[in-house]
Amino acid sequence: MSGRFIVVDGPSGVGKTTITALLADSLAAEGWLVHPTKEPTRTRLGQTARYGTDDYHGLTLACLVAADRYQHLETEIRPALAAGQIVLCDRYLATSLVLQRLDGVDPTFIWDLNSLADRPDLTIVLTGDPNRSRSRAAARGIHSRFHRGGVDAGRREMELYVEVSAELSEAGFSVHVHDVGTQSPGEVVAALLDPVRALLGHGGDAQALTGSDARISES
Ligand SMILES: Nc1ncnc2c1ncn2[C@@H]1O[C@H](COP(=O)(O)OP(=O)(O)OP(=O)(O)O)[C@@H](O)[C@H]1O
Ligand SMILES: Cc1cn([C@H]2C[C@H](O)[C@@H](COP(=O)(O)O)O2)c(=O)[nH]c1=O
């Protein structure tokens, strides 16, 4: 039994956490076993990375988030996949390729550091107006130096996510870039269900999920 590994990435405030949660609800309502999670994780190591960006920079932060990722894979993601679940992860490799690069780390080092991390079955990259994303992040609350900086910082972050999406595709990753524009969270999720259902292999027909597939909930 083997599940599916889907990650949701993109700039601060673009809506990753909101969309991951709603996507998880939609898939669960269709009967799929879903394991929503996020990086950095809620462990001591992960929280050190999430809230420690004023203390840790460059190579140190790159190694911290990579260590958290390997622990996450070993203790949570791989077991959930082995149990046939759909793992939905808020932030993953694209974040490292963008934020650590903004932090002055050579991309080759970031690729090398992550070379033994599992390749997601689908990488969703959300993009959107940097002004809107930055204001949403500010309204929600700032807990990282990467959230600070004005719209110029937001624009650079967004451009890098677009570049990194192309890099990931070239490296053989399956990448779906979605511009959220002025869509509501519900509209974003509705648009993302197409590529997700294509991955899950039932052509958008939730009724086809009736008990024979190992990834379907017993309930
Ligand atoms: N499509 C949307 N339309 C309107 N508001 C949204 C939308 N998506 C998210 N929001 C709101 O924007 C704020 C930031 O959303 P969220 O925390 O999901 O973003 P994020 O990308 O996970 O941010 P971060 O990376 O900084 O944690 C939240 O208050 C959320 O309710
Ligand atoms: C996965 C990942 C995270 N970070 C840092 C950047 C931010 O401080 C936090 C993310 O916090 P949020 O609550 O999700 O906005 O973690 C990083 O530098 N590199 C990474 O790969």
Side-chain angles (χ1 to χ4, degrees):
M1 197 157 50
S2 169
R4 289 288 182 273
F5 183 22
I6 301 173
V7 305
V8 179
D9 237 312
S12 296
V14 76
K16 298 177 295 298
T17 304
T18 307
I19 298 310
T20 304
L22 288 179
L23 193 53
D25 289 348
S26 296
L27 293 174
E30 291 181 2
W32 295 90
L33 286 174
V34 186
H35 183 94
T37 186
K38 72 187 298 171
E39 292 193 356
T41 62
R42 295 177 183 85
T43 63
R44 211 145 30 119
L45 177 55
Q47 298 299 70
T48 302
R50 167 166 288 106
Y51 298 110
T53 58
D54 285 324
D55 295 324
Y56 305 111
H57 302 80
L59 294 174
T60 307
L61 184 60
C63 292
L64 260 183
V65 294
D68 182 54
R69 180 161 302 139
Y70 284 114
Q71 178 74 1
H72 192 200
L73 282 163
E74 199 173 313
T75 61
E76 194 177 329
I77 295 176
R78 288 175 189 148
L81 291 173
Q85 299 181 3
I86 298 171
V87 174
L88 279 182
C89 187
D90 173 356
R91 287 196 186 275
Y92 194 67
L93 177 58
T95 292
S96 297
L97 289 166
V98 170
L99 297 185
Q100 273 51 71
R101 199 172 302 190
L102 284 172
D103 227 9
V105 180
D106 185 333
T108 310
F109 180 81
I110 308 164
W111 276 106
D112 287 348
L113 193 58
N114 284 278
S115 61
L116 298 180
D118 297 19
R119 178 178 294 210
D121 295 298
L122 178 63
T123 296
I124 294 170
V125 177
L126 300 178
T127 59
D129 173 25
N131 236 324
R132 196 173 283 125
S133 300
R134 286 272 148 167
S135 341
R136 282 178 189 160
R140 184 220 43 213
I142 300 290
H143 55 258
S144 157
R145 72 185 148 84
F146 294 108
H147 298 158
R148 297 189 204 115
V151 72
D152 284 346
R155 188 165 297 112
R156 181 66 191 130
E157 187 188 16
M158 182 73 66
E159 286 166 359
L160 273 179
Y161 271 104
V162 173
E163 275 176 38
V164 160
S165 299
E167 256 176 49
L168 289 167
S169 295
E170 276 161 32
F173 285 59
S174 171
V175 181
H176 180 87
V177 179
H178 180 80
D179 192 316
V180 301
T182 55
Q183 288 179 324
S184 68
E187 288 170 328
V188 176
V189 169
L192 294 178
L193 279 171
D194 282 346
V196 169
R197 285 181 177 137
L199 171 71
L200 300 181
H202 61 96
D205 180 7
Q207 297 310 309
L209 297 173
T210 48
S212 60
D213 191 302
R215 292 185 299 276
I216 301 167
S217 159
E218 296 297 310
S219 61

